Amino acid sequence: MKIGEAARELDVPTHVLRHWEDVGVVVPERLPSGHRDYSEEHLRRLRVLRACQDVGISLADIRLILHRDEPERTEVIADHLARVRRQQARLASAERFLAHVVACTHDLLTRCAQCSEYSATQAGPTSQEVR
């Protein structure tokens, strides 16, 4: 499949596919004419790339994730997994807080022990989260 077809299939501009190739994330084969030739495997990799981008993973890290023989791959995946789990915990806490606020009877949230407790736990990133 030529670059235009692949771009339409993935709903991205062709220059994006060229960029991803330039940085070595997904490199298609070349036809004798020099045109790029995207196989079904390339399209699957590109879909994984887009899914990774959707959760905030950089192109440099995606390249490591996609290529099993990269030495830092496991560490990169573990770091992103830990970040996702921290985000999930924060979101679950926010959900509990908001569900409580809807039913809270205090005239000011600062007068509610549960609301104040939530805000105290959200004071800022821990030293481990700051890089």
Side-chain angles (χ1 to χ4, degrees), residues 30-82:
R30 293 285 183 149
L31 297 171
S33 63
H35 290 89
R36 291 165 179 86
D37 185 26
Y38 289 88
S39 67
E40 283 302 315
E41 176 60 24
H42 290 114
L43 293 177
R44 282 191 289 275
R45 290 180 197 170
L46 290 164
R47 287 184 188 103
V48 169
L49 181 154
R50 297 208 53 212
C52 288
Q53 283 185 320
D54 285 347
V55 296
I57 301 174
S58 69
L59 280 178
D61 285 350
I62 293 169
R63 188 184 64 72
L64 294 172
I65 291 168
L66 285 176
H67 299 97
R68 185 169 287 284
D69 59 344
E70 293 291 340
E72 304 94 25
R73 181 177 187 263
T74 301
E75 182 181 345
V76 165
I77 293 169
D79 287 348
H80 284 287
L81 184 57

Side-chain angles (χ1 to χ4, degrees), residues 70-125:
E70 293 291 340
E72 304 94 25
R73 181 177 187 263
T74 301
E75 182 181 345
V76 165
I77 293 169
D79 287 348
H80 284 287
L81 184 57
R83 182 175 54 85
V84 166
R85 288 178 175 156
R86 285 191 304 272
Q87 287 175 328
Q88 285 175 325
R90 283 193 296 269
L91 288 171
S93 180
E95 180 181 17
R96 286 188 302 275
F97 168 69
L98 293 172
H100 169 76
V101 169
V102 167
C104 186
T105 58
H106 291 88
D107 58 339
L108 292 172
L109 294 181
T110 54
R111 294 185 181 154
C112 174
Q114 285 181 276
C115 292
S116 295
E117 180 183 323
Y118 173 79
S119 64
T121 63
Q122 302 303 311

